[in-house]
Amino acid sequence: MTGFNIFSAPPFLINLGTRWLYSNFNTYMVSCAIEKRAGMNHDRISDTQIFTPLGIGNPVWTSCPKGHVHAANGLYFEYRRTSAYGRMLRDEG
């Protein structure tokens, strides 16, 4: 056996749709897919596309040992800039 592959795991033990379990793994995988498609790390993408235009400088993300952003949590920036991020969400930006 060469290692565990989550995409070829054994069948589910419950019927799909009958239980719900929160997992940060989903956002991590989406972040990795975005990085692969864009050809750059998620933190650089978000900085150039979101944070710099909003005037939010030096955001910091937590990342895995391979350098991929967790994306589900671990985003840090100056709390005074939270309102700019909130306005963007409010205005469906």
Side-chain angles (χ1 to χ4, degrees):
M1 187 163 124
T2 60
F4 179 75
N5 181 343
I6 193 155
F7 299 109
S8 65
F12 291 103
L13 300 175
I14 60 168
N15 292 329
L16 295 179
T18 60
R19 291 175 120 185
W20 180 78
L21 175 66
Y22 182 81
S23 172
N24 289 345
F25 186 70
N26 301 330
T27 53
Y28 174 76
M29 291 299 296
V30 169
S31 176
C32 289
I34 291 170
E35 287 180 358
K36 185 171 184 172
R37 177 76 172 144
M40 66 178 84
N41 279 3
H42 187 115
D43 54 351
R44 184 167 176 217
I45 298 165
S46 61
D47 188 36
T48 59
Q49 299 296 316
I50 299 171
F51 298 117
T52 297
L54 290 174
I56 299 174
N58 302 319
V60 176
W61 292 87
T62 57
S63 57
C64 76
K66 291 188 174 189
H68 302 292
V69 169
H70 290 155
N73 54 25
L75 170 61
Y76 303 94
F77 54 84
E78 185 180 346
Y79 77 92
R80 291 182 183 99
R81 303 295 182 185
T82 305
S83 60
Y85 189 73
R87 281 193 302 276
M88 179 200 62
L89 295 175
R90 179 197 67 199
D91 297 339
E92 301 179 13

